[in-house]
Amino acid sequence: MSSYYASKTAFLFYLAGIFALIVFLDLVFTGNGVQFDVGRFLTDTSPYMWALLGVGFTIGLSVVGAAWGIFITGTSLIGAAVKAPRIRTKNLISIIFCEVVAIYGLIMAIVFSSKLNDAELADGEVWPKSAYFSGYALFWSGLTVGVANLCCGVAVGITGSTCAIADAADPQLFVKVLVIEIFGSIIGLFGLIIGLLMTSKVREFDTK
Amino acid sequence: MEALFFNVENGYLEAIVRGFKSGILTSNHYLNLTQCETLEDLKLQLASTDYGNFLQNEPSPIATTTIAEKAREKLVAEFNYIRANAVKPLATFLDYITYAYMIDNVILLITGTLHERDTNDLLERCHPLGMFDTIAALCVATNVQELYSTVLVDSPLAPYFEKCLSAHDLDEMNIEIIRNTLYKAYLEDFYNYCQMLGSPTSEVMGEILQFEADRRVINITINSFNTELSKDDRAKLYPTCGKLYPDGTAKLSKSDDIDQVRMVVETDAQYRQFFDLPVGAERSLEDKFFEYEVFLNKKSFLRQFHFGVFYSYLKLREQEIRNIVWIAECIAQHQKERINNYIPIF
């Protein structure tokens, strides 16, 4: 395989990097360097954007993880069940473990979106600090839960595929490999717990 | 990392091959087979395994060649099923496996055509896995020049012919030397392709193909003692993808007898066991090579998400067919003293 540094995806990154560099240098050389202001970006963007991005990441990344896990397990299960049809029903547990990951994401997305309310900001006013906290907390919790569920779904999927193949070869192996899968699915639960902890102090958006 | 995307295209086929592998005869089956008195008994015993009723349409008395043929037909059907469902890069990998059989078929046809044998007879004796569309064109050629241009244009073996032989060589060289030159080019090509696929395929197949290369080096060396093959010619036939390359092959190309071969080979820890033959042993060097090959092929099933399982399954089933034919021959010729000289697999 050609090295990663020369592959097609790497070229896309190089292009994006060069474009960013050109924009940056343009700003600096035309005396507008002060426009590159991270602080202004953070205070000017509405906390709603962060909060809703968080909710989107929660459900989006969780579903990607669950789907990834299901296809990894499902293909091996179909193939192995041709020679050993007895494994079909038992190994649906692996699929269910992957599906549970998506449900975690769904629950957290519902919990997060219930913390949002539609507060209107009058002209010339700024959001109070609590609003910024709410926005950031929801964003990073969402990312936490989403990425944790993504990894969990993939882990459970790969182990589930091995479980199906091992079960087809020797029925005694099923429960043993299932234990490994259970350990893998706990990762998703960790993400859920931390997400809940982070957003427990989130108050609703308030213009005061 | 390979586990993330392997199953998209190859998960189903890998699981199918593992299902096939679970049907390979075990030592219990072999115990039953060795206790058969006649070939009819053997047929009955085989009917209770994965082979099923593969011999039921054959008129009795069955010949051992029929058993071998039918068993091979079953294997070819399974391989063709997998090949039909495969996409690149698995499809290319499976094609590489068939090139070895194609080389044998092409050599068979070239020899046969040059000696003016019957075309259909030759085509029937070709290995089914090594057939390609334009193979019949080889039979039509009347002289060497035509043969060479037909082979070059029409067959997938063209790159191997280009690299090492010219039309002049085809005429002059001994046919076995041609076969070995082609096989060397093919093995190196296959090895490079597997390395390109990345871990774990490259690791698993790398080990297997390295052993294959070293085995050929040792066999070529030993078989060329007391023949008119010069040492330089011998060195040109050695594949370069093995563990013995470059030091071992350089020394082997200069060796004159089996003790020197033994000294060179003993530098490698795993190959030492091949020459540990006590005097009058039942196992020959060839048997030891087969045993080690079976060991490597079994090992490839211990890892998941690589292409080595497809290659290993094919080789293990071929070994199984050789075992069954050996047992059948012993039974048919009433020589059951050496019936246990098959290579056990599982």
Side-chain angles (χ1 to χ4, degrees):
Chain A
M1 207 131 59
S2 64
S3 83
Y4 291 129
Y5 297 120
S7 66
K8 287 196 194 122
T9 40
F11 277 127
L12 282 173
F13 278 116
Y14 297 154
L15 262 173
I18 290 173
F19 180 70
L21 188 66
I22 290 174
V23 167
F24 172 70
L25 286 177
D26 172 69
L27 284 177
V28 167
F29 290 148
T30 54
N32 289 328
V34 75
Q35 273 187 16
F36 189 75
D37 188 350
V38 178
R40 192 178 60 109
F41 169 70
L42 284 178
T43 48
D44 271 5
T45 51
S46 159
Y48 279 124
M49 184 188 95
W50 298 118
L52 291 164
L53 263 181
V55 175
F57 275 135
T58 313
I59 187 66
L61 292 177
S62 305
V63 164
V64 168
W68 205 328
I70 290 179
F71 91 63
I72 293 180
T73 306
T75 44
S76 291
L77 184 51
I78 292 174
V82 170
K83 192 73 201 304
R86 59 184 162 78
I87 69 167
R88 279 173 312 192
T89 326
K90 258 199 304 183
N91 278 280
L92 287 179
I93 291 182
S94 306
I95 309 271
I96 291 175
F97 272 127
C98 292
E99 179 67 25
V100 157
V101 159
I103 292 178
Y104 290 163
L106 182 69
I107 293 174
M108 291 316 288
I110 293 175
V111 165
F112 291 165
S113 65
S114 73
K115 296 196 196 287
L116 291 170
N117 68 317
D118 191 8
E120 216 179 286
L121 198 60
D123 283 334
E125 277 194 14
V126 289
W127 288 104
K129 279 194 229 161
S130 65
Y132 282 111
F133 170 73
S134 306
Y136 295 145
L138 285 171
F139 175 71
W140 290 106
S141 310
L143 209 54
T144 308
V145 174
V147 173
N149 282 340
L150 175 68
C151 298
C152 173
V154 170
V156 173
I158 295 176
T159 329
S161 144
T162 312
C163 185
I165 289 179
D167 188 16
D170 181 1
Q172 291 175 341
L173 288 174
F174 175 69
V175 179
K176 300 184 165 81
V177 182
L178 200 67
V179 170
I180 305 176
E181 239 181 281
I182 292 173
F183 277 112
S185 81
I186 297 177
I187 299 174
L189 212 53
F190 290 166
L192 190 116
I193 294 171
I194 298 301
L196 277 175
L197 282 177
M198 283 208 281
T199 52
S200 59
K201 298 203 182 57
V202 167
R203 291 188 308 192
E204 61 170 38
F205 287 89
D206 209 348
T207 50
K208 281 205 291 290
Chain B
M1 279 294 128
E2 67 280 358
L4 293 176
F5 296 109
F6 183 84
N7 271 11
V8 181
E9 293 172 342
N10 310 311
Y12 170 70
L13 289 173
E14 186 195 359
I16 289 268
V17 156
R18 283 174 184 272
F20 285 153
K21 165 234 180 201
S22 69
I24 290 183
L25 301 184
T26 61
S27 45
N28 282 339
H29 291 126
Y30 284 124
L31 271 173
N32 290 338
L33 288 178
T34 50
Q35 283 164 5
C36 290
E37 293 296 325
T38 66
L39 288 184
E40 292 296 325
D41 282 345
L42 193 83
K43 174 175 155 181
L44 254 136
Q45 288 291 343
L46 285 178
S48 65
T49 66
D50 247 24
Y51 279 102
N53 294 327
F54 76 123
L55 287 173
Q56 69 178 4
N57 292 329
E58 300 304 311
S60 67
I62 319 172
T64 50
T65 45
T66 327
I67 298 180
E69 215 181 277
K70 287 282 166 212
R72 200 175 66 174
E73 233 177 69
K74 183 168 187 295
L75 175 61
V76 168
E78 289 172 356
F79 185 84
N80 283 334
Y81 174 76
I82 295 176
R83 177 63 187 85
N85 280 304
V87 291
K88 278 181 190 289
L90 179 58
T92 329
F93 182 86
L94 294 174
D95 283 338
Y96 266 103
I97 299 179
T98 61
Y99 292 163
Y101 303 103
M102 275 184 205
I103 292 177
D104 287 335
N105 286 351
V106 164
I107 298 288
L108 182 73
L109 286 177
I110 290 178
T111 335
T113 310
L114 288 178
H115 289 127
E116 279 152 44
R117 299 262 154 77
D118 178 31
T119 322
N120 290 328
D121 198 33
L122 285 174
L123 282 175
E124 260 175 40
R125 289 175 54 195
C126 284
H127 194 288
L129 281 180
M131 300 298 273
F132 50 95
D133 291 334
T134 50
I135 199 167
L138 284 172
C139 301
V140 182
T142 46
N143 65 0
V144 176
Q145 189 57 40
E146 218 179 285
L147 203 58
Y148 186 70
S149 49
T150 325
V151 171
L152 217 45
V153 168
D154 286 339
S155 70
L157 297 180
Y160 307 136
F161 274 93
E162 264 173 9
K163 252 186 258 187
C164 18
L165 302 170
S166 64
H168 181 66
D169 290 330
L170 259 189
D171 214 356
E172 298 252 315
M173 270 205 255
N174 186 349
I175 199 78
E176 283 303 314
I177 303 204
I178 298 178
R179 182 203 301 271
N180 281 309
T181 321
L182 284 176
Y183 200 87
K184 167 187 147 90
Y186 154 71
L187 201 58
E188 284 164 10
D189 199 18
F190 194 10
Y191 182 79
N192 288 335
Y193 180 73
C194 290
Q195 293 304 309
M196 210 182 62
L197 289 174
S199 169
T201 304
S202 60
E203 283 167 27
V204 172
M205 285 308 296
E207 217 183 328
I208 294 177
L209 291 178
Q210 274 179 350
F211 170 66
E212 185 66 29
D214 290 331
R215 175 189 191 177
R216 289 192 83 81
V217 166
I218 296 175
N219 275 336
I220 290 174
T221 314
I222 294 181
N223 291 339
S224 68
F225 290 149
N226 302 327
T227 65
E228 65 262 11
L229 187 67
S230 76
K231 297 209 170 131
D232 288 331
D233 282 338
R234 191 206 293 175
K236 275 196 282 196
L237 295 178
Y238 290 159
T240 55
C241 52
K243 279 198 266 193
L244 290 176
Y245 176 83
D247 301 322
T249 52
K251 286 197 218 134
L252 280 175
S253 65
K254 298 197 193 73
S255 55
D256 284 313
D257 60 49
I258 199 160
D259 285 320
Q260 288 178 5
V261 171
R262 183 201 304 263
M263 276 195 308
V264 174
V265 167
E266 273 177 355
T267 53
D268 185 289
Q270 277 145 341
Y271 295 166
R272 205 170 293 170
Q273 53 169 315
F274 297 138
F275 285 95
D276 277 347
L277 297 163
V279 178
E282 281 184 19
R283 291 265 190 242
S284 68
L285 182 64
E286 222 19 63
D287 282 334
K288 288 199 166 244
F289 280 150
F290 278 131
E291 271 173 23
Y292 191 66
E293 188 190 358
V294 164
F295 166 72
L296 285 180
N297 283 325
K298 273 165 57 175
K299 217 165 67 142
S300 85
F301 281 99
L302 294 178
R303 296 178 76 160
Q304 207 183 346
F305 308 121
H306 62 89
F307 292 154
V309 286
F310 298 97
Y311 180 90
S312 297
Y313 171 70
L314 190 69
K315 292 298 163 187
L316 286 178
R317 283 275 267 130
E318 283 188 336
Q319 181 60 50
E320 179 188 272
I321 295 177
R322 282 196 285 267
N323 286 349
I324 294 177
V325 169
W326 172 262
I327 293 175
E329 287 285 354
C330 285
I331 292 176
Q333 295 174 13
H334 303 292
Q335 293 211 15
K336 300 187 89 171
E337 305 88 45
R338 297 178 60 202
I339 200 169
N340 288 320
N341 274 9
Y342 58 88
I343 313 278
I345 301 178
F346 284 124

